[in-house]
Amino acid sequence: MAYKLLALNIDGTILKNNGRLQRETKEAVEYVKRKGVYVTLMTSRNLLAARKIAKALKLNSELITFQGAMIGKSLNEKIFEALIPEERTFNIVQVLENFYCNIRLMHERYSIGNRKKVQKNLVAKTVLSSGDPFFYPTQFVDSLGDILIDEPLAVPKIDVYFANEKERNEAAAVLEKAFPTVDMIMQQNGKMEIVPRGVSKLAGLQRLGNHLGIPLKEMVVIGDSLDDMPAIEAAGLGVAMGNAPMEVKRVADWVTRSNEQLGVAYMIKEHFRKQQRLEFLQKLKMKR
């Protein structure tokens, strides 16, 4: 099988734990691009933050961001966008403010969060990893509900951090019953992401594949998180990072080294060195 698309998760996959992008990873991405493979990023991050990583990798690709709610090269060049409407965003916030949680409304250009201190270290880490604050500023307010009354907001994603999974599960049960037009993606450490119904990294890959004319069976997906699992399982070649949870590794076709051990660079060099340039393979096929 000659693979035509490589999709990479960002955090815990191409980035080390300190948020750094290593030279070896950049070189590996350049190597696979020279093989004629389309390289994209798939992430829960916002498009501006993903674009910054893509620039460092010298990618001019369509990027799958906000868990698949937004696909594009830039905010002005989007091929897909799904938003939680203003009124529904307000109603969801009203429900969530009855629980002990930190809420972040992820707009395409900025985020707004409440000041409730829950999972302080996790929230701080997410704020720092969401991108350059100059390009993607974050504002904290006392009451999101009060802000939304005066300034309604439609968003592609809502991030919610709970003190424990019991509180998260109770909130999820209420939201599922009250809002059938949204999906909830559960993460580790009590985090929940709320997205429009039908949005996921896998759905984003399928949409991008349809746009490019590349089926899932001709894609390689590399990831480390629970939200990467459906895409890893559905891809022609699904790869789990060495630092991924065991349930992610179980659905993968291949397990590479960890992000600290340059697992992406290792996998690319091990697998794609055997694959000829796509133009060469196409010419060979025509001659036959």
Side-chain angles (χ1 to χ4, degrees), residues 123-153:
V123 177
K125 183 180 177 183
T126 304
V127 171
L128 290 171
S129 70
S130 63
D132 191 327
F134 178 76
F135 294 105
Y136 192 76
T138 299
Q139 177 187 0
F140 291 97
V141 298
D142 291 321
S143 171
L144 282 172
D146 291 347
I147 292 293
L148 293 176
I149 289 173
D150 298 324
E151 300 175 37
L153 200 62

Side-chain angles (χ1 to χ4, degrees), residues 2-69:
Y3 296 103
K4 298 179 181 177
L5 185 147
L6 171 63
L8 303 168
N9 180 43
I10 294 180
D11 297 287
T13 301
I14 61 172
L15 297 185
K16 295 186 73 177
N17 294 338
N18 62 6
R20 296 288 180 86
L21 183 61
Q22 296 297 99
R23 173 179 54 82
E24 292 88 346
T25 303
K26 295 179 184 179
E27 290 173 352
V29 168
E30 190 61 35
Y31 172 81
V32 81
K33 281 168 56 186
R34 289 198 299 269
K35 295 272 189 178
V37 177
Y38 191 98
V39 183
T40 186
L41 303 177
M42 57 172 202
T43 179
S44 65
R45 287 188 180 213
N46 62 80
L47 183 54
L48 292 176
R51 185 70 250 160
K52 186 180 177 184
I53 303 293
K55 187 176 180 181
L57 291 169
K58 298 181 180 177
L59 297 179
N60 188 34
S61 316
E62 308 286 353
L63 307 176
I64 301 162
T65 62
F66 287 114
Q67 286 287 7

Side-chain angles (χ1 to χ4, degrees), residues 68 70-71 87 146 149 174 182 199 204 206 275 281 285 287:
M70 197 173 290
I71 306 171
E87 184 178 356
D146 291 347
I149 289 173
V174 174
V182 299
V199 161
Q206 290 172 313
Q275 179 169 306
L281 292 174
K285 189 176 180 181
K287 286 179 181 178

Side-chain angles (χ1 to χ4, degrees), residues 118-126:
V118 179
Q119 295 278 57
K120 187 176 179 181
N121 292 337
L122 178 63
V123 177
K125 183 180 177 183
T126 304

Side-chain angles (χ1 to χ4, degrees), residues 9-13 42-44 67 185-188 193 201 221-232 239-241 243-249 251:
N9 180 43
I10 294 180
D11 297 287
T13 301
M42 57 172 202
T43 179
S44 65
Q67 286 287 7
I185 300 170
M186 302 304 176
Q187 302 284 16
Q188 294 173 303
E193 295 176 274
K201 288 182 178 179
V221 172
I222 309 179
D224 73 294
S225 302
L226 297 176
D227 57 9
D228 296 320
M229 279 178 62
I232 288 173
V239 181
M241 298 295 292
N243 51 289
M246 189 53 66
E247 50 263 57
V248 179
K249 292 177 180 177
V251 303

Side-chain angles (χ1 to χ4, degrees), residues 142-209:
D142 291 321
S143 171
L144 282 172
D146 291 347
I147 292 293
L148 293 176
I149 289 173
D150 298 324
E151 300 175 37
L153 200 62
V155 295
K157 186 165 74 88
I158 302 171
D159 286 352
V160 196
Y161 304 88
F162 294 88
N164 55 67
E165 289 196 6
K166 181 176 181 293
E167 186 92 354
R168 182 182 71 177
N169 292 340
E170 289 176 3
V174 174
L175 291 171
E176 188 175 14
K177 187 174 181 180
F179 305 102
T181 56
V182 299
D183 285 333
M184 284 155 285
I185 300 170
M186 302 304 176
Q187 302 284 16
Q188 294 173 303
N189 302 316
K191 182 184 177 185
M192 175 170 69
E193 295 176 274
I194 303 171
V195 295
R197 173 70 63 158
V199 161
S200 68
K201 288 182 178 179
L202 173 56
L205 266 181
Q206 290 172 313
R207 290 185 175 101
L208 179 57

